Amino acid sequence: MSNHNKIRPVDKNNLSGKYKILFSTPQTKNSNIPMEFRGLQIYNSKSQAEEALKKRKKLTKILEEKRAKSMQGNKRAVGNSGGDQSNLVQFNPEVQQLKNAKIKRAKELFREGYQKTEILRIIIKEFKLQRDLNSRSWPKWLSELE
């Protein structure tokens, strides 16, 4: 449960006194969030606190829209440009065929009595994969092998 962006009385016994809001603090020094909306802020009245919270939420919406606009046309995620699921690299037919071939070969080796670590090393060699032969992380399909 988050304590951020909630108006609370500074003194629980005096509800007509000062109010506080705990805003989140960005982890970077280069932030578009003004200092008045960072960390613990104290206000003299509840109406001031409500106004500040309203301004902060409006700023959040503006910053999210600005970030989304700056991400349009971003080519860093080439396999997933435009958010279209069919563009994902793992749905590429060649990738699917390679994965299915690896799974089929792994099942054969498992039936022959090889252990999963041995199977992983054999598959890396046979398919000339760019993985460390001593890798301890298994692909999900190998973990589910039975």
Side-chain angles (χ1 to χ4, degrees):
M1 191 162 114
S2 176
N3 291 325
H4 292 95
N5 298 341
K6 292 183 182 168
I7 300 172
R8 301 178 192 279
V10 172
D11 180 12
K12 291 181 183 178
N13 298 326
N14 183 8
L15 297 178
S16 62
K18 295 185 176 187
Y19 288 85
K20 63 184 177 182
I21 302 175
L22 179 62
F23 294 112
S24 61
T25 304
Q27 298 300 313
T28 179
K29 293 178 184 175
N30 305 339
S31 175
N32 294 328
I33 301 171
M35 293 303 286
E36 64 184 286
F37 298 128
R38 296 185 191 186
L40 182 65
Q41 301 293 328
I42 297 179
Y43 301 92
N44 291 326
S45 68
K46 190 168 187 173
S47 62
Q48 285 179 333
E50 288 170 346
E51 184 65 28
L53 187 57
K54 191 185 297 183
K55 285 181 181 178
R56 176 61 177 104
K57 288 184 177 180
K58 184 178 178 183
L59 176 65
T60 299
K61 197 175 227 178
I62 290 169
L63 291 175
E64 284 176 356
E65 289 171 0
K66 185 178 177 183
R67 183 180 54 79
K69 198 177 285 184
S70 72
M71 294 296 281
Q72 287 179 343
N74 184 346
K75 297 295 182 198
R76 287 185 290 176
V78 175
N80 190 15
S81 61
D84 183 4
Q85 291 292 318
S86 65
N87 287 338
L88 290 173
V89 173
Q90 64 258 32
F91 295 134
N92 188 328
E94 292 100 35
V95 173
Q96 287 293 312
Q97 287 174 350
L98 178 63
K99 181 181 175 186
N100 291 336
K102 290 189 290 187
I103 293 171
K104 183 178 177 184
R105 180 67 177 132
K107 287 180 179 178
E108 290 171 6
L109 293 169
F110 192 71
R111 275 188 239 115
E112 291 175 15
Y114 287 96
Q115 292 181 348
K116 290 183 180 179
T117 50
E118 296 170 317
I119 293 171
L120 182 59
R121 287 191 184 120
I122 292 169
I123 288 178
I124 290 171
K125 285 180 185 175
E126 285 183 7
F127 288 89
K128 297 180 177 91
L129 302 177
Q130 298 295 319
R131 284 186 62 144
D132 182 11
L133 286 173
N134 297 319
S135 174
R136 292 182 179 224
S137 62
W138 291 351
K140 187 177 180 183
W141 55 264
L142 184 59
S143 299
E144 296 169 350
L145 192 64
E146 289 181 16

